[in-house]
Amino acid sequence: MPFRPFAPFAPLSRRFDALPPVAQSGLWMTLSAFGYAASGAVVHHLAQRLPVFEMAFFRNFFGLIFMLPWLWKSGLAALHTAQPGRHVVRGFLSSVNMWCLFAALAYAPIADVSAITFLMPIIGSIFAVIFLKERTVPMQWVAAVAGFAGAMMVIRPGMAGFDPGLLFAIGAVLVGASVAMLIKTLLRHDSSDTIAFYLFASHIVFAAVPMVFVWVTPTWEEIAWMVLLGWLGTIIQRAFNRSMAAADATVALPFNFSRLIWAAMFGWVFFAEFPDIWTWIGGTVIFASSLWLTRVTAARKKAAQE
């Protein structure tokens, strides 16, 4: 998908479009990974005073505002959907996913949370086998076991390094994997932008009620941070989708590992947090397992088509 920034950046756009698809995919995924880590740092900062529900509400409120130019250009017809019920269910589950993720970022180091979220493809593949009755091969289960071993290295339950906040990250992964299966069915009929719009809207609705009971009046500085959080949310989704559209998942996903590097950098520079060796080892094992699982799945689908 061609990159179309504002006119002053047209020369940069032409250079970007001239790059090979693999390079474009890598740059988009790196941008998405940077945005993910940056938003985690913002939440980590705001959670010192603001409740999770309030951050989630405003993150999606401003995210929806950043979607309005797309709606203006596409018209209200772009919001037509034949599956409103699925959007509601997906919106609720995605809200729970965000609440768990924000809670994890409130209590645990940014890099540790980022490492745990690499488990999502592995959990998603297990759910697909259990609930969607997808066929599997032994190598997929080996990758899943390896991924969980990596998670135990990061979490280290029962040991001195154990951080209870990472349990929220596990919850976010479990719910997020369920959301991923719903997205597959939604994409059969609706565009990714339509799905994103309803996602932001549903998050606002579901966070509004609990937010009232924990309301803390934000300062103007905190509002500015939440505006940035909403903008980063649109960047993360759009950059990730463009990366996956430019090249195969097996090409794009390795660049997503930079998320752990960015998260470690933000944690070190702004919060004096630097992940220990177990976070790096465990995060690498989890990511390698996820990538391995992606490659095995892609190979099986290619073989089935031939």
Side-chain angles (χ1 to χ4, degrees):
M1 186 180 296
F3 178 41
R4 294 288 180 266
F6 293 110
F9 297 97
L12 178 62
S13 172
R14 288 192 292 269
R15 288 189 178 185
F16 186 88
D17 293 342
L19 293 174
V22 172
Q24 292 186 28
S25 178
L27 289 171
W28 281 122
M29 186 60 74
T30 302
L31 176 62
S32 177
F34 178 86
Y36 187 95
S39 63
V42 173
V43 171
H44 199 59
H45 167 66
L46 292 176
Q48 298 175 25
R49 205 180 78 89
L50 297 181
V52 166
F53 297 116
E54 189 171 340
M55 289 188 291
F57 177 89
F58 281 107
R59 186 264 194 188
N60 290 284
F61 174 78
F62 291 119
L64 190 66
I65 289 177
F66 285 114
M67 287 289 295
L68 292 181
W70 163 80
L71 183 61
W72 178 267
K73 180 180 178 180
S74 303
L76 292 177
L79 297 182
H80 174 75
T81 178
Q83 41 191 351
R86 289 182 184 272
H87 281 288
V88 172
V89 174
R90 188 263 174 139
F92 175 73
L93 290 176
S94 187
S95 295
V96 175
N97 166 257
M98 179 171 289
W99 299 339
C100 288
L101 182 61
F102 280 16
L105 289 167
Y107 296 111
I110 305 171
D112 289 9
V113 175
S114 294
I116 292 299
T117 56
F118 286 135
L119 276 174
M120 195 171 297
I122 296 174
I123 299 295
S125 68
I126 295 174
F127 282 1
V129 171
I130 296 174
F131 299 109
L132 301 181
K133 307 302 180 183
E134 290 188 2
R135 297 180 62 184
T136 185
V137 295
M139 296 302 291
Q140 289 176 284
W141 290 109
V142 172
V145 172
F148 284 114
M152 292 301 101
M153 294 179 191
V154 178
I155 300 174
R156 300 191 296 282
M159 300 178 64
F162 172 65
D163 192 327
L166 291 179
L167 296 178
F168 284 110
I170 294 292
V173 167
L174 292 172
V175 180
S178 304
V179 172
M181 289 193 296
L182 275 173
I183 292 175
K184 286 184 178 181
T185 61
L186 288 170
L187 283 170
R188 294 172 186 168
H189 305 284
D190 297 335
S191 72
S192 58
D193 283 332
T194 300
I195 294 172
F197 186 92
Y198 281 117
L199 173 66
F200 287 127
S202 59
H203 275 217
I204 292 171
V205 172
F206 288 121
V209 174
M211 178 187 68
V212 172
F213 294 97
V214 294
W215 175 261
V216 173
T217 303
T219 65
W220 285 109
E221 179 186 346
E222 289 168 336
I223 291 175
W225 280 116
M226 288 189 285
V227 171
L228 175 62
L229 196 60
W231 180 71
L232 287 171
T234 62
I235 293 296
I236 293 167
Q237 289 204 23
R238 293 188 168 214
F240 184 90
N241 292 340
R242 287 173 182 267
S243 175
M244 298 296 281
D248 293 339
T250 52
V251 173
L253 289 179
F255 293 93
N256 197 30
F257 186 71
S258 63
R259 187 187 353 173
L260 182 57
I261 299 172
W262 295 123
M265 183 190 73
F266 283 122
W268 177 50
V269 172
F270 297 108
F271 305 103
E273 300 172 353
F274 194 78
D276 60 23
I277 187 63
W278 289 109
T279 298
W280 288 107
I281 295 175
T284 301
V285 170
I286 296 170
F287 183 79
S289 303
S290 300
L291 183 60
W292 185 14
L293 183 64
T294 302
R295 290 182 180 274
V296 170
T297 305
R300 286 184 61 242
K301 289 182 178 179
K302 184 177 180 180
Q305 292 173 353
E306 296 175 349

